[in-house]
Amino acid sequence: ICLNKPMSPFNEAGCRLSTEDACVPKPSQQHGNKDYLYRSTTLDSDTLALLRNETGRHVYALAGLRLGEGGEGNKPCEHRTHSWWAVADDTECIATTEVLHNQTKKALAQWIWASNHHNPDLMRVYFQGHCHADDHDKVGMSVFVGLEGACYTHVHNSHMTVYDLTALVDNDAVDFPFNLSKTGVASYLPSADMTWFEQNYQSESAFGKYIGRYNNDLRYSQLPSELRTAAVETKQPHRLERNYNLAGGTVVCGSDDSVPQDPLLAGDAFDSSTFIPFRQAIKKTIWTMLAIRAPDQIRQRMAWSLASIIPVTPSIMQNRYTSYAYMHFYDIFVRHGLGNYRDVLKEVAYHPQMGEFLSFLNNESLGSTWMRYGQVKFPDENFARELMQLFTIGVVDLHPDGSPVLDAFGHPIKSYTSQDVISFARVMTGYRYSHAWNNIDYMTIDANVRDLWPKRALNGAYLGDRYPLCVDLPDRPHLRAGAKYRIIDVDPTSHDDQMRVVLNPSLDLYGKLCKPDPDGICQFPATVTLENDALCEDPGSLECVLGTLATVQVRAGVFYKYVRPPCVQLAVYQDAKKIKAEGLWPWPEHIRSACANPHMPIATEACCGMAIGNAPKTFFGRKNVIDRPCKIYNERLTYNSNSERCASVGGFECSWVGYRESQTHAQPKPKLCKYHRHSSDKYPEQSIWSWTSHSCKLQMAVDRNGMVASVHKTNEANAAAFVDVNKTRNYYSVHWNRNSFGDEEFPSPENDCGYGACTKITTHDEDKCLCDVQESEEVVFSSLPSRGQALSELRIGAFAPDMYDSGEYELVESFAGVKAYKRKKKKAGCYTFTKYCQ
């Protein structure tokens, strides 16, 4: 049983990086104790001998494959490509015949050191450095790596791959090109043609079946069917599921108030008895013992009171007879019984017991269900309603003495309306079970099915009020004081290892994340908050060049994710630019368009007018096709940064019609940014957008009830469905101005769409109004307000002035705990959020 839990806002402080044999929580659909144990083996000489002896098959690891013949594989110095390196004796590095420039040695050593591949003899290296031009085409070189000075030699990409060569052995039409040894190694003969190997090694009928890489772990279930025999299976040991990131360790987290247990303890029947009365008695007995005997009686009584206000009813729950889930939920009230009620509500809202009880677990947005299933299904409103009606404010406004607030006619004023319930229900979308084995740890949020549009709050407010705008973030916020990083596990078999920024140990950010102890050993805390700005000693290092940062690698197997501070992106903004996303197929019907805020790092780079080598500037006869001169895979830029990037490589921004390269018959090559593309109407969060030079118009569609939908007028045939006026179902409520009778006033077909201000349209068989919208700014105070006035009147927050460059903001007035700062003017043509102005 795996007791390791996914990291969450509630347990992250206690997480740590473990180099022990720790298990990893599995996806919720794979829950079950046995999922964490599997039969596996290591593909070493003993295992290969076992497979040969028990099955009669010819299973060998390949060696002696020569480089530079037969058109094989990637050169180690080719930017953003993979190569393989073998551990070698120091004599290999000393006696190597390949003379390399120091620049090349340093670059290769850095990326070999940063490899996350876990094999005692081989290293798979993803190279993002720059070799000396004289060394670009060299292969087979050897270099010293790391402080210990271990020697690594570049080898063939298929070096020590394990194959079942039975098909090749039985093929009498081919001269067998290998020398087979008793140790399980098949050495390619010096006289054999490497061209034949390159042309045939992927053919199962002509060559054989690929099994894995020598000394790698392999599950029994992953063996080819010819090798899965009863004799082989019984000799495979059971092992705990390990994390993908074997090179650096596993991020391990626990649950509040949980202690280790022994899953093999004889007679342990906790929550496992099939006798229902016995299982029900467990809960009652534990609660009664604590309620009567616990030394913190005031806390226990408060917990009981809170549990009575915020209950879950076992009779309608799937796990009604278990104990652990209910005790975990009840512990929320014990933990916060003498604390803050907001903390109680936050944990309750994330707990799967409440998610199941009030049915917002697996809640999806209307836009998600419409685009994925073609169903008009509104998010479940149970929790949104009970949160207000039972858990907090009640159905009518109250005075401090508990008496109802009355309107001019003597009627109680309602605390909320049905529109408020609908809006809050949209907040509670995207909640899923976590990957915990017991389904009791806090839920996670799936962005793909979460509602992404504004949510109105009570009393004329919106959720997100008082938070700063994301567009006001300082340049390179990941290097600023207060920047937060969270340790994560990364699967190096995915593209994530190509999106990472590998930190040089000599740089300041490396030291801040390493947090060395007095002996200089990195501690790698679960979370790190920068106490001061990270210095850029090397202006060319990626963390200093990139405007945004997602994942950084501190050393092999140790990754941190930058956590952007909470901020708000407005649905309406100025100077909107068109962005487009293209799928794997280059035809126009696979391209989607939308609008984006040009001051936000929303889209990837896109440059016209470039010609790399002899490549054409057009594709399939289309003009204005783009290249992707990215600094890192999955990079995001502002529009201004994209323009500068294009100019620096001899291109320009444009209104493009497609990508210069196409992958119409193959999967994307992860090493090349230009192949990083995706377009999805079902999952708009997964679309990979690129900038265009064309402007874009923001509009709102308004239905008869005053609900609005954001519409992006791109003048393209295939606008993204979630902002297409004829396809979207993403209508949400807003606060309209009210007349003297208290009724909201908005454009509708009944008032000629705002007396002609908007255009009447018909979508989904309903008459609506389509209106142009624009952002406006208003001065709220002409003099320094009091603290109470500022908190009640100002809706937009701000980042702390010391988060910006020294002198960028100046204090202009201060009184009674309120300080007013003014931003100094920038040079003409420079955005205020850009640090480096030309």
Side-chain angles (χ1 to χ4, degrees), residues 469-477 480 546-548 574-575 597-602 636-642 644 691 799 803-805 808-809 823-827 829-837:
L469 300 181
C470 299
V471 74
D472 289 333
L473 278 166
D475 186 61
R476 296 169 180 81
R480 304 287 181 165
L546 298 177
T548 59
Q574 296 178 351
D575 306 320
N597 189 333
H599 309 317
M600 286 292 299
I602 296 292
R636 296 292 189 270
L637 303 87
T638 64
Y639 179 79
N640 189 49
S641 296
N642 178 68
E644 295 174 353
W691 289 108
F799 296 107
M803 191 175 179
Y804 298 83
D805 290 337
E808 188 167 340
Y809 277 89
R823 186 173 232 170
K824 293 183 178 180
K825 293 182 178 180
K826 294 287 183 178
K827 295 180 181 179
C830 233
Y831 295 120
T832 57
F833 55 82
T834 303
K835 176 181 177 183
Y836 302 107
C837 296

Side-chain angles (χ1 to χ4, degrees), residues 790-834:
L791 291 177
S792 63
E793 297 294 330
L794 296 180
R795 299 294 191 186
I796 298 176
F799 296 107
D802 57 7
M803 191 175 179
Y804 298 83
D805 290 337
S806 177
E808 188 167 340
Y809 277 89
E810 60 179 347
L811 180 65
V812 294
E813 194 171 353
S814 176
F815 181 75
V818 178
K819 296 181 179 180
Y821 290 84
K822 181 179 180 181
R823 186 173 232 170
K824 293 183 178 180
K825 293 182 178 180
K826 294 287 183 178
K827 295 180 181 179
C830 233
Y831 295 120
T832 57
F833 55 82
T834 303

Side-chain angles (χ1 to χ4, degrees), residues 171-476:
N171 188 352
D172 296 332
V174 178
D175 291 334
F176 192 71
F178 289 98
N179 178 34
L180 304 181
S181 71
K182 294 182 180 180
T183 60
V185 176
S187 298
Y188 204 67
L189 298 175
S191 59
D193 186 3
M194 280 301 299
T195 302
W196 178 90
F197 174 84
E198 301 297 345
Q199 293 174 349
N200 291 278
Y201 78 97
Q202 295 184 9
S203 170
E204 291 187 359
S205 59
F207 191 83
K209 288 188 177 181
Y210 172 79
I211 299 174
R213 185 81 60 165
Y214 191 78
N215 265 337
N216 275 2
D217 290 340
L218 187 73
R219 292 191 182 190
Y220 170 79
S221 60
Q222 294 173 323
L223 288 171
S225 57
E226 297 87 348
L227 302 178
R228 295 199 300 268
T229 67
V232 172
E233 180 179 12
T234 57
K235 295 182 180 180
Q236 308 306 307
H238 279 94
R239 296 183 181 177
L240 274 176
E241 177 70 77
R242 276 298 311 269
N243 67 314
Y244 295 111
N245 184 16
L246 295 175
T250 307
V251 177
V252 294
C253 305
S255 294
D256 288 320
D257 305 321
S258 293
V259 296
Q261 70 175 17
D262 184 356
L264 304 179
L265 184 64
D268 183 7
F270 185 79
D271 264 359
S272 62
S273 172
T274 58
F275 186 52
I276 292 177
F278 177 72
R279 299 181 70 176
Q280 291 176 319
I282 293 176
K283 278 187 293 189
K284 296 177 181 179
T285 301
I286 294 175
W287 180 87
T288 302
M289 289 176 61
L290 290 173
I292 296 175
R293 299 182 180 180
D296 52 349
Q297 284 296 300
I298 294 179
R299 181 185 296 274
Q300 295 294 331
R301 295 185 183 213
M302 281 298 301
W304 173 245
S305 298
L306 291 170
S308 301
I309 297 172
I310 309 176
V312 292
T313 304
S315 60
I316 64 172
M317 305 284 280
Q318 292 182 1
N319 59 355
R320 64 180 68 98
Y321 300 123
T322 62
S323 303
Y324 192 26
Y326 289 92
M327 288 187 291
H328 191 273
F329 182 77
Y330 190 84
D331 276 346
I332 296 175
F333 309 123
V334 176
R335 191 160 48 250
H336 299 293
L338 303 180
N340 188 299
Y341 192 58
R342 186 185 188 282
D343 295 334
V344 174
L345 293 177
K346 182 176 181 179
E347 287 204 44
V348 164
Y350 273 89
H351 203 285
Q353 289 291 97
M354 183 57 72
E356 181 184 343
F357 177 57
L358 289 182
S359 56
F360 66 95
L361 177 65
N362 297 321
N363 216 8
E364 295 190 18
S365 68
L366 171 60
S368 173
T369 55
W370 171 247
M371 294 310 306
R372 294 174 66 197
Y373 314 115
Q375 299 175 357
V376 179
K377 183 180 179 182
F378 290 89
D380 189 277
E381 300 173 0
N382 270 346
F383 183 75
R385 181 179 295 104
E386 306 303 351
L387 177 65
M388 293 185 287
Q389 180 177 339
L390 299 181
F391 301 166
T392 54
I393 59 177
V395 295
V396 297
D397 288 342
L398 301 176
H399 290 294
D401 63 0
S403 61
V405 178
L406 306 179
D407 62 16
F409 302 99
H411 300 142
I413 297 176
K414 293 182 179 180
S415 302
Y416 58 89
T417 67
S418 59
Q419 292 281 36
D420 296 320
V421 175
I422 294 172
S423 182
F424 287 166
R426 293 172 46 241
V427 178
M428 308 310 297
T429 53
Y431 283 81
R432 305 291 200 205
Y433 277 125
S434 71
H435 295 172
W437 69 275
N438 49 19
N439 271 2
I440 62 95
D441 278 290
Y442 299 100
M443 295 180 287
T444 58
I445 296 178
D446 181 358
N448 291 309
V449 297
R450 185 170 173 81
D451 190 288
L452 51 81
W453 296 108
K455 287 92 176 170
R456 86 174 200 179
L458 303 177
N459 303 320
Y462 289 89
L463 295 184
D465 281 359
R466 297 184 182 173
Y467 281 94
L469 300 181
C470 299
V471 74
D472 289 333
L473 278 166
D475 186 61
R476 296 169 180 81

Side-chain angles (χ1 to χ4, degrees), residues 560-574:
Y560 279 88
K561 182 177 182 179
Y562 167 67
V563 182
R564 190 182 69 180
C567 58
V568 173
Q569 295 188 47
L570 297 178
V572 180
Y573 40 84
Q574 296 178 351

Side-chain angles (χ1 to χ4, degrees), residues 525-701:
T527 60
V528 176
T529 300
L530 302 189
E531 297 178 359
N532 44 54
D533 290 354
L535 303 178
C536 283
E537 299 96 332
D538 179 7
S541 59
L542 280 178
E543 70 268 26
C544 298
V545 172
L546 298 177
T548 59
L549 196 62
T551 303
V552 295
Q553 177 178 324
V554 187
R555 75 172 189 199
V558 181
F559 298 86
Y560 279 88
K561 182 177 182 179
Y562 167 67
V563 182
R564 190 182 69 180
C567 58
V568 173
Q569 295 188 47
L570 297 178
V572 180
Y573 40 84
Q574 296 178 351
D575 306 320
K577 286 290 185 180
K578 185 196 304 182
I579 54 176
K580 296 167 72 173
E582 179 176 289
L584 295 182
W585 298 84
W587 318 125
E589 59 268 25
H590 293 280
I591 297 178
R592 297 291 181 266
S593 60
C595 300
N597 189 333
H599 309 317
M600 286 292 299
I602 296 292
T604 66
E605 62 293 316
C607 304
C608 285
M610 296 175 59
I612 301 176
N614 295 321
K617 297 184 181 181
T618 61
F619 181 63
F620 286 163
R622 297 181 295 174
K623 297 181 179 180
N624 279 4
V625 291
I626 58 168
D627 285 282
R628 305 275 298 281
C630 66
K631 295 291 185 182
I632 192 172
Y633 195 78
N634 201 32
E635 184 182 7
R636 296 292 189 270
L637 303 87
T638 64
Y639 179 79
N640 189 49
S641 296
N642 178 68
S643 300
E644 295 174 353
R645 177 72 57 80
C646 292
S648 69
V649 293
F652 54 89
E653 68 274 18
C654 63
S655 182
W656 54 271
V657 296
Y659 293 172
R660 183 176 62 84
E661 299 287 350
S662 171
Q663 283 295 101
T664 56
H665 302 294
Q667 290 298 314
K669 295 180 180 179
K671 67 177 182 177
L672 298 175
C673 296
K674 59 192 172 190
Y675 292 115
H676 186 219
R677 61 185 68 175
H678 186 69
S679 175
S680 174
D681 278 337
K682 293 184 177 180
Y683 301 101
E685 289 289 318
Q686 296 181 6
S687 292
I688 300 170
W689 302 99
S690 297
W691 289 108
T692 78
S693 59
H694 274 196
S695 297
C696 199
K697 178 181 283 190
L698 301 179
Q699 298 177 307
M700 290 284 187

